[in-house]
Amino acid sequence: GAVVSQHPSWVICKSGTSVKIECRSLDFQATTMFWYRQFPKQSLMLMATSNEGSKATYEQGVEKDKFLINHASLTLSTLTVTSAHPEDSSFYICSALTLAKNIQYFGAGTRLSVL
Amino acid sequence: SQQGEEDPQALSIQEGENATMNCSYKTSINNLQWYRQNSGRGLVHLILIRSNEREKHSGRLRVTLDTSKKSSSLLITASRAADTASYFCATDAIPTDSWGKLQFGAGTQVVVTP
């Protein structure tokens, strides 16, 4: 199957700093990627849809200035959590959509801990 | 918002037994997908069933879809300890504001003991 790499897998940062998470599709081009947030023992909550070459589409209640998304190429999308606070601590997962199969392939996730 | 509800929320079985979990959804769909998530990891795609299909198999997995009842089931036969994971159904609702966008169910946590 298609491979999606997400980096870093784990990050600890101080409150007020910004953290960038990368999501790469390694063996296919993805015009669309998705960013999710997951709380312990809960389902995935879609944060935003990232489209190559255009602005991301954010879900209701997700602050676009807080969670900056950039999809500058067909294989890379980044999520930057700006001025992180402890309540931003969570598991963030990206996925890349294969148009041919209409299947999302997921990264391994990033666990963010804000102190 | 989550479209699907899954039951049971948790399932504990012994190796060799079958595991069945169900998913219900609310809107019309193009397809329904099942994913597996090991603890602290990303999701792995298991199977996709289209709205015009009623049953699909993949190895030890069997998925059914009943669009009249807006429900699906996932059966894992002859379970193994390695099947221990959370299982999520996901649907692409119609209408949608974004191609490929999925709505995930709450998930079923499966524990398979040796």
Side-chain angles (χ1 to χ4, degrees):
Chain A
V3 179
V4 174
S5 172
Q6 187 173 340
H7 178 80
S9 57
W10 187 31
V11 58
I12 300 174
C13 70
K14 292 182 179 179
S15 186
T17 60
S18 295
V19 174
K20 180 185 282 189
I21 303 170
E22 292 187 348
C23 183
R24 293 179 185 274
S25 56
L26 298 185
D27 51 1
F28 66 101
Q29 294 182 331
T31 55
T32 302
M33 293 185 177
F34 299 93
W35 288 95
Y36 296 87
R37 184 172 180 176
Q38 186 179 33
F39 292 102
K41 298 191 182 301
Q42 293 189 23
S43 188
L44 279 72
M45 181 188 77
L46 180 65
M47 298 174 66
T49 302
S50 172
N51 298 298
E52 187 268 336
S54 64
K55 290 183 178 180
T57 304
Y58 290 81
E59 295 299 302
Q60 192 172 7
V62 178
E63 300 176 58
K64 62 180 181 180
D65 295 329
K66 173 76 172 176
F67 299 99
L68 299 178
I69 290 173
N70 183 280
H71 194 155
S73 78
L74 287 172
T75 59
L76 174 64
S77 175
T78 61
L79 168 68
T80 301
V81 183
T82 62
S83 186
H85 291 285
E87 57 266 29
D88 298 324
S89 298
S90 191
F91 192 58
Y92 294 88
I93 312 176
C94 72
S95 71
L97 178 68
T98 58
L99 288 177
K101 298 179 180 179
N102 194 21
I103 291 173
Q104 291 185 31
Y105 289 94
F106 284 79
T110 297
R111 186 160 304 283
L112 171 63
S113 296
V114 184
L115 304 178
Chain B
S1 61
Q2 292 179 24
Q3 146 113 295
E5 293 184 1
E6 295 181 58
D7 79 273
Q9 288 186 327
L11 182 61
S12 184
I13 56 174
Q14 291 191 321
E15 268 190 328
E17 294 181 338
N18 296 340
T20 300
M21 58 210 86
N22 304 294
C23 166
S24 61
Y25 56 93
K26 298 174 184 174
T27 67
S28 297
I29 61 173
N30 286 312
N31 64 66
L32 184 144
Q33 304 180 43
W34 285 91
Y35 287 84
R36 183 186 75 218
Q37 184 182 33
N38 290 86
S39 180
R41 303 290 293 173
L43 276 69
V44 173
H45 181 263
L46 296 177
I47 198 164
L48 180 153
I49 185 166
R50 302 187 191 286
S51 59
N52 61 354
E53 297 176 309
R54 292 296 167 259
E55 188 171 312
K56 206 162 182 179
H57 296 80
S58 177
R60 294 183 295 112
L61 304 179
R62 173 177 167 252
V63 168
T64 63
L65 179 63
D66 187 335
T67 52
S68 66
K69 295 181 179 178
K70 291 187 168 58
S71 68
S72 174
S73 69
L74 170 66
L75 167 68
I76 305 173
T77 61
S79 64
R80 306 167 182 168
D83 294 329
T84 295
S86 293
Y87 292 83
F88 295 93
C89 67
T91 54
D92 65 337
I94 302 173
T96 182
D97 56 359
S98 179
W99 174 255
K101 182 175 172 180
L102 294 176
Q103 291 179 314
F104 283 82
T108 295
Q109 190 171 2
V110 175
V111 174
V112 182
T113 54

Coordinates of all heavy atoms in Angstrom, one line a residue, chain B residues 44-93:
Chain B
V44 N -4.6 2.1 9.7 CA -4.3 1.2 8.6 C -5.6 0.9 7.9 O -6.6 0.5 8.5 CB -3.6 0.0 9.0 CG1 -3.4 -1.0 7.9 CG2 -2.3 0.3 9.7
H45 N -5.6 1.1 6.6 CA -6.8 0.9 5.8 C -7.0 -0.6 5.7 O -6.1 -1.4 5.3 CB -6.7 1.5 4.4 CG -8.0 1.3 3.6 ND1 -8.1 0.3 2.6 CD2 -9.1 1.9 3.6 CE1 -9.2 0.4 2.1 NE2 -9.9 1.3 2.6
L46 N -8.2 -1.1 5.9 CA -8.5 -2.5 5.9 C -9.3 -2.9 4.6 O -8.9 -3.8 3.8 CB -9.3 -3.0 7.1 CG -8.6 -2.9 8.4 CD1 -9.5 -3.3 9.6 CD2 -7.3 -3.7 8.5
I47 N -10.4 -2.2 4.4 CA -11.3 -2.6 3.3 C -12.3 -1.5 3.0 O -12.6 -0.7 3.9 CB -12.1 -3.9 3.7 CG1 -12.7 -4.6 2.5 CG2 -13.1 -3.6 4.8 CD1 -13.1 -6.0 2.8
L48 N -12.6 -1.3 1.7 CA -13.6 -0.4 1.3 C -14.7 -1.1 0.6 O -14.5 -2.0 -0.2 CB -12.9 0.6 0.3 CG -13.8 1.7 -0.4 CD1 -12.9 2.9 -0.7 CD2 -14.5 1.3 -1.6
I49 N -15.9 -0.7 1.0 CA -17.1 -1.3 0.3 C -18.0 -0.2 -0.3 O -18.2 0.8 0.4 CB -17.9 -2.2 1.3 CG1 -19.0 -3.0 0.6 CG2 -18.4 -1.4 2.5 CD1 -19.6 -4.1 1.4
R50 N -18.3 -0.3 -1.5 CA -19.1 0.7 -2.2 C -20.6 0.6 -1.9 O -21.0 -0.5 -1.5 CB -18.8 0.6 -3.7 CG -17.4 0.8 -4.1 CD -17.1 0.9 -5.5 NE -15.7 0.7 -5.9 CZ -14.8 1.7 -5.6 NH1 -15.1 2.8 -5.1 NH2 -13.5 1.4 -5.9
S51 N -21.3 1.6 -2.1 CA -22.7 1.7 -1.7 C -23.5 0.7 -2.5 O -24.6 0.3 -2.0 CB -23.3 3.1 -1.9 OG -23.2 3.5 -3.2
N52 N -23.0 0.2 -3.7 CA -23.8 -0.8 -4.4 C -23.3 -2.2 -4.2 O -23.8 -3.1 -4.9 CB -23.7 -0.5 -5.9 CG -22.3 -0.5 -6.4 OD1 -21.3 -0.7 -5.7 ND2 -22.1 -0.4 -7.8
E53 N -22.5 -2.4 -3.2 CA -22.0 -3.7 -2.8 C -22.7 -4.1 -1.5 O -22.9 -3.2 -0.6 CB -20.5 -3.7 -2.7 CG -19.8 -3.4 -4.0 CD -18.3 -3.4 -3.8 OE1 -17.8 -2.6 -3.0 OE2 -17.6 -4.1 -4.6
R54 N -22.8 -5.4 -1.3 CA -23.5 -5.8 -0.1 C -22.5 -6.6 0.8 O -22.7 -6.6 2.0 CB -24.7 -6.7 -0.4 CG -25.8 -6.0 -1.1 CD -26.4 -5.0 -0.1 NE -27.3 -4.0 -0.8 CZ -26.9 -2.8 -1.1 NH1 -25.7 -2.4 -0.9 NH2 -27.7 -2.0 -1.7
E55 N -21.5 -7.2 0.2 CA -20.6 -8.0 1.0 C -19.2 -8.0 0.3 O -19.1 -8.0 -0.9 CB -21.0 -9.4 1.2 CG -20.3 -10.2 2.2 CD -20.9 -11.6 2.4 OE1 -22.1 -11.6 2.7 OE2 -20.2 -12.6 2.4
K56 N -18.1 -8.0 1.2 CA -16.8 -8.0 0.6 C -15.9 -8.7 1.6 O -16.1 -8.7 2.8 CB -16.3 -6.6 0.4 CG -15.2 -6.4 -0.7 CD -15.1 -5.0 -1.1 CE -14.1 -4.9 -2.2 NZ -14.0 -3.5 -2.7
H57 N -14.9 -9.5 1.0 CA -14.0 -10.2 1.8 C -12.6 -9.8 1.5 O -12.2 -9.4 0.4 CB -14.1 -11.7 1.5 CG -15.5 -12.3 1.8 ND1 -16.6 -12.2 1.0 CD2 -15.9 -13.1 2.9 CE1 -17.6 -12.8 1.5 NE2 -17.2 -13.3 2.7
S58 N -11.8 -9.9 2.5 CA -10.3 -9.7 2.4 C -9.6 -10.5 3.4 O -9.6 -10.2 4.6 CB -10.0 -8.2 2.5 OG -8.6 -8.0 2.4
G59 N -9.1 -11.6 3.0 CA -8.4 -12.5 4.0 C -9.4 -13.0 5.1 O -10.4 -13.6 4.8
R60 N -9.1 -12.7 6.3 CA -10.0 -13.1 7.4 C -11.0 -12.1 7.7 O -11.8 -12.2 8.7 CB -9.1 -13.4 8.7 CG -8.1 -14.5 8.6 CD -7.4 -14.8 9.9 NE -6.5 -13.7 10.2 CZ -6.7 -12.9 11.2 NH1 -7.7 -13.0 12.1 NH2 -5.8 -11.9 11.5
L61 N -11.1 -11.1 6.9 CA -12.1 -10.0 7.1 C -13.3 -10.2 6.2 O -13.2 -10.5 5.0 CB -11.5 -8.6 6.9 CG -10.2 -8.3 7.6 CD1 -9.7 -6.9 7.2 CD2 -10.4 -8.3 9.1
R62 N -14.5 -9.9 6.8 CA -15.7 -9.9 6.0 C -16.5 -8.7 6.4 O -16.8 -8.5 7.6 CB -16.5 -11.2 6.3 CG -17.9 -11.2 5.6 CD -18.6 -12.5 5.8 NE -20.0 -12.4 5.4 CZ -21.0 -12.4 6.3 NH1 -20.8 -12.4 7.6 NH2 -22.3 -12.3 5.9
V63 N -16.8 -7.9 5.4 CA -17.6 -6.7 5.6 C -18.9 -6.8 4.9 O -19.0 -7.3 3.8 CB -16.8 -5.5 5.1 CG1 -17.7 -4.2 5.1 CG2 -15.6 -5.2 6.0
T64 N -20.0 -6.4 5.6 CA -21.3 -6.3 5.0 C -21.8 -4.9 5.0 O -21.4 -4.1 5.9 CB -22.3 -7.2 5.7 OG1 -22.5 -6.8 7.0 CG2 -21.9 -8.7 5.7
L65 N -22.6 -4.5 4.1 CA -23.2 -3.2 4.0 C -24.7 -3.3 3.7 O -25.1 -4.0 2.8 CB -22.5 -2.4 3.0 CG -23.0 -0.9 2.8 CD1 -22.8 -0.1 4.1 CD2 -22.3 -0.3 1.6
D66 N -25.5 -2.7 4.5 CA -27.0 -2.6 4.3 C -27.3 -1.1 4.2 O -27.5 -0.5 5.3 CB -27.7 -3.3 5.5 CG -29.2 -3.4 5.2 OD1 -29.7 -2.6 4.4 OD2 -29.8 -4.3 5.8
T67 N -27.5 -0.6 3.0 CA -27.7 0.8 2.9 C -29.2 1.1 3.3 O -29.4 2.3 3.7 CB -27.5 1.2 1.4 OG1 -28.2 0.4 0.5 CG2 -26.0 1.2 1.1
S68 N -30.1 0.2 3.3 CA -31.4 0.5 3.7 C -31.5 0.7 5.2 O -32.3 1.5 5.7 CB -32.4 -0.7 3.3 OG -32.0 -1.9 4.0
K69 N -30.6 0.1 5.9 CA -30.5 0.2 7.4 C -29.4 1.2 7.8 O -29.2 1.5 9.0 CB -30.3 -1.1 8.1 CG -31.5 -2.1 7.9 CD -31.2 -3.4 8.7 CE -32.4 -4.3 8.5 NZ -32.1 -5.6 9.2
K70 N -28.7 1.6 6.8 CA -27.5 2.5 7.0 C -26.6 1.9 8.1 O -26.3 2.5 9.1 CB -28.0 3.9 7.5 CG -28.6 4.7 6.3 CD -28.9 6.1 6.8 CE -29.3 7.0 5.6 NZ -30.5 6.5 4.9
S71 N -26.2 0.7 7.8 CA -25.3 0.0 8.8 C -24.4 -0.9 8.0 O -24.6 -1.4 6.9 CB -26.2 -0.8 9.7 OG -26.8 -1.9 9.1
S72 N -23.3 -1.2 8.7 CA -22.2 -2.1 8.2 C -21.7 -3.0 9.4 O -21.8 -2.6 10.5 CB -21.1 -1.3 7.6 OG -20.0 -2.1 7.2
S73 N -21.2 -4.1 9.0 CA -20.5 -4.9 10.0 C -19.2 -5.4 9.5 O -19.0 -5.6 8.3 CB -21.4 -6.1 10.4 OG -21.4 -7.0 9.3
L74 N -18.3 -5.6 10.5 CA -17.0 -6.1 10.2 C -16.8 -7.4 11.0 O -16.9 -7.4 12.3 CB -15.9 -5.1 10.6 CG -14.4 -5.6 10.6 CD1 -14.0 -6.0 9.1 CD2 -13.4 -4.6 11.1
L75 N -16.5 -8.5 10.4 CA -16.2 -9.7 11.0 C -14.8 -10.1 10.8 O -14.3 -10.1 9.7 CB -17.1 -10.8 10.4 CG -16.8 -12.3 10.8 CD1 -17.1 -12.5 12.3 CD2 -17.6 -13.2 9.9
I76 N -14.1 -10.4 11.9 CA -12.7 -10.9 11.9 C -12.8 -12.4 12.3 O -13.2 -12.7 13.4 CB -11.8 -10.2 12.8 CG1 -11.8 -8.7 12.5 CG2 -10.4 -10.7 12.7 CD1 -11.1 -7.8 13.5
T77 N -12.5 -13.3 11.4 CA -12.5 -14.7 11.8 C -11.2 -15.2 12.3 O -10.1 -14.6 12.0 CB -12.9 -15.5 10.5 OG1 -11.9 -15.3 9.5 CG2 -14.3 -15.1 10.0
A78 N -11.3 -16.2 13.1 CA -10.1 -16.9 13.7 C -9.1 -15.8 14.2 O -8.0 -15.8 13.8 CB -9.4 -17.8 12.6
S79 N -9.6 -15.0 15.2 CA -8.8 -13.9 15.6 C -7.4 -14.3 16.2 O -7.3 -15.4 16.7 CB -9.6 -13.1 16.6 OG -9.8 -13.9 17.8
R80 N -6.5 -13.4 16.1 CA -5.2 -13.6 16.7 C -4.8 -12.5 17.6 O -5.4 -11.4 17.6 CB -4.1 -13.6 15.5 CG -4.4 -14.6 14.4 CD -3.6 -14.3 13.2 NE -3.9 -15.2 12.1 CZ -3.5 -15.1 10.9 NH1 -2.7 -14.0 10.5 NH2 -3.8 -15.9 9.9
A81 N -3.9 -12.7 18.5 CA -3.5 -11.6 19.4 C -3.1 -10.4 18.7 O -3.3 -9.2 19.2 CB -2.3 -12.1 20.3
A82 N -2.5 -10.5 17.5 CA -2.1 -9.3 16.7 C -3.3 -8.5 16.2 O -3.1 -7.4 15.7 CB -1.2 -9.8 15.5
D83 N -4.5 -9.1 16.3 CA -5.7 -8.3 15.9 C -6.1 -7.3 16.9 O -7.0 -6.5 16.7 CB -6.8 -9.3 15.6 CG -6.6 -10.2 14.4 OD1 -5.8 -9.7 13.5 OD2 -7.1 -11.3 14.4
T84 N -5.5 -7.4 18.1 CA -5.8 -6.4 19.2 C -5.5 -5.0 18.7 O -4.4 -4.6 18.3 CB -4.9 -6.7 20.4 OG1 -5.3 -8.0 20.9 CG2 -5.1 -5.6 21.5
A85 N -6.6 -4.2 18.6 CA -6.5 -2.8 18.1 C -7.9 -2.2 18.2 O -8.8 -2.8 18.7 CB -6.1 -2.9 16.6
S86 N -7.9 -0.9 17.8 CA -9.2 -0.2 17.7 C -9.6 -0.2 16.2 O -8.8 -0.1 15.4 CB -9.1 1.2 18.2 OG -8.9 1.2 19.6
Y87 N -10.9 -0.5 16.0 CA -11.4 -0.6 14.6 C -12.4 0.6 14.4 O -13.3 0.7 15.2 CB -12.0 -1.9 14.4 CG -11.0 -3.0 14.4 CD1 -10.5 -3.6 15.6 CD2 -10.4 -3.5 13.2 CE1 -9.6 -4.6 15.6 CE2 -9.4 -4.5 13.2 CZ -9.0 -5.0 14.4 OH -8.0 -6.0 14.4
F88 N -12.2 1.3 13.3 CA -13.1 2.4 13.0 C -13.7 2.2 11.6 O -13.1 1.8 10.7 CB -12.3 3.7 13.0 CG -11.7 4.1 14.3 CD1 -10.4 3.8 14.6 CD2 -12.4 4.9 15.2 CE1 -9.8 4.2 15.8 CE2 -11.9 5.3 16.4 CZ -10.6 4.9 16.7
C89 N -15.0 2.6 11.6 CA -15.6 2.7 10.3 C -15.6 4.1 9.9 O -15.6 5.0 10.7 CB -17.1 2.2 10.3 SG -18.2 3.1 11.2
A90 N -15.6 4.4 8.6 CA -15.6 5.8 8.1 C -16.4 5.8 6.8 O -16.4 4.9 6.0 CB -14.1 6.2 7.8
T91 N -17.1 6.9 6.7 CA -18.0 7.1 5.5 C -17.7 8.4 4.8 O -17.3 9.4 5.5 CB -19.5 7.1 5.9 OG1 -19.7 8.0 6.9 CG2 -19.9 5.7 6.4
D92 N -17.9 8.4 3.5 CA -17.9 9.7 2.8 C -19.3 10.1 2.5 O -20.0 9.5 1.7 CB -17.1 9.6 1.5 CG -17.7 8.7 0.5 OD1 -18.5 7.8 0.9 OD2 -17.4 8.8 -0.7
A93 N -19.8 11.0 3.3 CA -21.2 11.4 3.2 C -21.6 12.1 2.0 O -20.8 12.8 1.4 CB -21.6 12.2 4.5

